[in-house]
Amino acid sequence: MKQFGRWYPLLLKAQLKKVETWIAIVAMIAMVFIIHALKIPGGPNCEVAIQCENPNLAAEMLSRLQKQQSIFHFVLEDDLEQMKLNVINGTYECGFAIDEDYQEKLLKLDQNDIITYYCSSFTTRGEVAKETLYLALLEIESEIFLQVSADQIFENATKELLELLKAQQEYYLDSDELLSISSEVVGKGNIAPQMNVKKTTAPYNGTVALIIFLSIFLAMGDYLGKQKSGYPMYLVTGERFGFAFTKTLAAVTPVALIGYVLSLTVGEHTHNWFVMLLLMIAMILYGFLWCYGLGKILRKENRFMASLLAVILLAAVVTNAYIDLAEYTPAIKIVRYLMPPGLYLL
C-alpha cells in the first residue's frame, strides 16, 4: 500500500504529460458528441412528415391520416428542403410531398406524380407508412372518381343522388361489408407492441467503455514492453503485479473521469450516478485482470499489441454498444459479459 501511495501520484503525473492521454480524451468526447448529433431511424421513430404547398389540402390530408388507426404520427412540414433534411437526420422516418394541384389532376383522371416519397437508407417502416398514406388518398380518389363518373352512369346526377352515393361510400369504407376478416388471438400472454420495445443499444456509454478499455489495453502493453528493460525488472513477482495495476490505474484515471462525466450528462442514464460509478470501477478492475491475463498468455509486447485490433473489434461487436446481436443470437447476452466493456453496459 505504501508503494502504491508512492507510485500512483508519480505515474499519474507522468501520464498527464503524455500526448496520447489527451488524444484519447479528445477522441472520446468527439465520438460521443458526433453520435449525439446523429439521428438514425430506429425502433421508436414513428414520425412521418406531410408537405404540400396548398395548406388547405395539407390540412385535409393530415386530418384523414389522423383518423386512421395507425402506429404513425403524421405531422405537417412547410418547407420541402427542411423535410428532406429531417428525413436524412432521422427526425422523420420518411416524408411525403403532395402536389398542390392533386385534386385537379384527379378530376382529369391523372394520377402521375401526385405524391413524391422521401426516405433514408435506414428506414424500417417507410413502406408501411406509404400504404397508410395511399389508403387516405384512395378515399379522396374514390370521392372524386364517383363525382366524375356519376354523369356517365346516371342520366340525372342530382345533388341528392351524389350525397346518397357518398354516404354509401363512407359506409362501405368504415364497415367490413366488402371484406369481412375474422380475428383470433393465439398463444398465451400479452405481447407488447414492437413500438414499445426498449432500446437495447447504448452508443454513448458504449463509446466511453470502449475508450477506457483501449486505455487499459495500451497501458498493459506499455508495461509488458518495460517488463524486462525498465523499472519492473527490478521488482519481485508480487510487486510487479502491484506496479502493473498502479500503472494501469494511473493511465486510465484521466480518461475514466471524463468518461464518467460524459455518461452522466449525455449517456443513456440506465442507472443512477452511484451505480454508474460502481460499474465503472468494476469495469476497470476486470479490464486490468483481463488484459493482465492476456499478457501472461502472449508474454511478449509485440504479440500483445498485435491482438489490439481484434480485441477492440470483438468488444464493440459482442457488447451492445452499437448493435445488439442478442436479438438474433440469445447466447450473446452471456458472452458479452466476458468482455470488460460489457460490465459498464449492464
Side-chain angles (χ1 to χ4, degrees):
M1 184 61 71
K2 290 182 180 180
Q3 288 176 321
F4 175 82
R6 291 197 305 267
W7 289 336
Y8 182 74
L10 295 174
L11 291 170
L12 179 60
K13 185 177 180 180
Q15 190 67 33
L16 291 173
K17 293 180 180 179
K18 292 183 178 180
V19 178
E20 26 307 15
T21 301
W22 298 104
I23 290 177
I25 291 174
V26 171
M28 179 173 61
I29 294 173
M31 288 178 66
V32 168
F33 280 96
I34 288 173
I35 294 172
H36 185 68
L38 290 174
K39 290 184 179 179
I40 299 177
N45 189 5
C46 299
E47 295 282 327
V48 175
I50 301 295
Q51 189 276 332
C52 182
E53 295 297 330
N54 188 323
N56 294 329
L57 294 180
E60 179 186 356
M61 180 63 74
L62 180 66
S63 176
R64 289 177 180 270
L65 289 168
Q66 289 176 339
K67 290 178 181 178
Q68 296 185 26
Q69 293 183 354
S70 171
I71 62 173
F72 298 105
H73 177 229
F74 292 91
V75 295
L76 290 180
E77 183 66 63
D78 297 328
D79 185 71
L80 178 60
E81 294 304 318
Q82 183 62 42
M83 184 183 76
K84 292 180 184 179
L85 181 62
N86 288 336
V87 169
I88 292 172
N89 66 31
T91 301
Y92 300 136
E93 176 74 13
C94 58
F96 297 92
I98 302 174
D99 193 317
E100 60 180 325
D101 299 321
Y102 81 91
Q103 287 187 332
E104 287 75 9
K105 287 187 175 182
L106 289 178
L107 283 171
K108 299 176 183 178
L109 303 182
D110 180 12
Q111 302 181 51
N112 295 325
D113 301 323
I114 291 179
I115 296 178
T116 304
Y117 168 61
Y118 296 95
C119 69
S120 72
S121 58
F122 296 105
T123 185
T124 57
R125 301 181 190 83
E127 293 299 320
V128 181
K130 190 190 297 185
E131 297 299 328
T132 304
L133 182 74
Y134 286 171
L135 181 59
L137 184 63
L138 180 62
E139 295 181 8
I140 298 175
E141 285 183 342
S142 62
E143 292 176 6
I144 293 176
F145 291 163
L146 183 66
Q147 179 181 349
V148 172
S149 304
D151 292 331
Q152 302 174 7
I153 299 174
F154 300 98
E155 182 178 351
N156 185 18
T158 62
K159 181 179 179 181
E160 291 76 13
L161 177 61
L162 290 176
E163 291 179 353
L164 176 62
L165 292 175
K166 185 176 180 181
Q168 286 296 110
Q169 175 210 27
E170 292 177 353
Y171 168 76
Y172 284 115
L173 287 174
D174 294 337
S175 68
D176 58 356
E177 291 291 330
L178 293 177
L179 178 62
S180 179
I181 300 177
S182 59
S183 302
E184 181 179 349
V185 178
V186 296
K188 297 181 179 180
N190 295 322
I191 301 176
Q194 185 68 25
M195 302 310 303
N196 295 328
V197 173
K198 184 180 178 182
K199 186 177 181 181
T200 55
T201 56
Y204 304 114
N205 291 349
T207 299
V208 169
L210 290 172
I211 295 294
I212 292 174
F213 182 51
L214 176 63
S215 300
I216 296 172
F217 196 97
L218 293 176
M220 184 56 59
D222 185 56
Y223 166 78
L224 290 175
K226 297 176 180 177
Q227 194 171 211
K228 295 182 180 179
S229 60
Y231 179 71
M233 67 181 295
Y234 300 104
L235 301 174
V236 298
T237 304
E239 290 178 334
R240 287 182 182 180
F241 179 83
F243 181 79
F245 174 72
T246 307
K247 180 177 178 59
T248 303
L249 184 62
V252 80
T253 296
V255 182
L257 287 175
I258 300 300
Y260 179 67
V261 173
L262 287 173
S263 293
L264 294 181
T265 52
V266 297
E268 279 74 23
H269 305 292
T270 52
H271 305 286
N272 60 47
W273 68 270
F274 183 69
V275 175
M276 293 300 296
L277 179 61
L278 292 179
L279 289 175
M280 177 161 290
I281 293 173
M283 178 186 65
I284 293 172
L285 293 176
Y286 181 40
F288 164 72
L289 294 174
W290 198 95
C291 293
Y292 187 83
L294 183 63
K296 283 293 184 180
I297 295 172
L298 299 179
R299 296 186 180 182
K300 294 184 178 181
E301 179 193 10
N302 58 347
R303 295 177 185 171
F304 184 82
M305 296 305 294
S307 66
L308 171 62
L309 181 60
V311 169
I312 296 300
L313 284 177
L314 181 64
V317 172
V318 171
T319 61
N320 58 324
Y322 306 111
I323 183 173
D324 188 8
L325 293 179
E327 294 180 359
Y328 311 100
T329 309
I332 297 293
K333 290 184 178 180
I334 299 174
V335 175
R336 69 174 46 145
Y337 299 120
L338 297 178
M339 302 298 296
L343 284 181
Y344 194 58
L345 303 179
L346 277 172

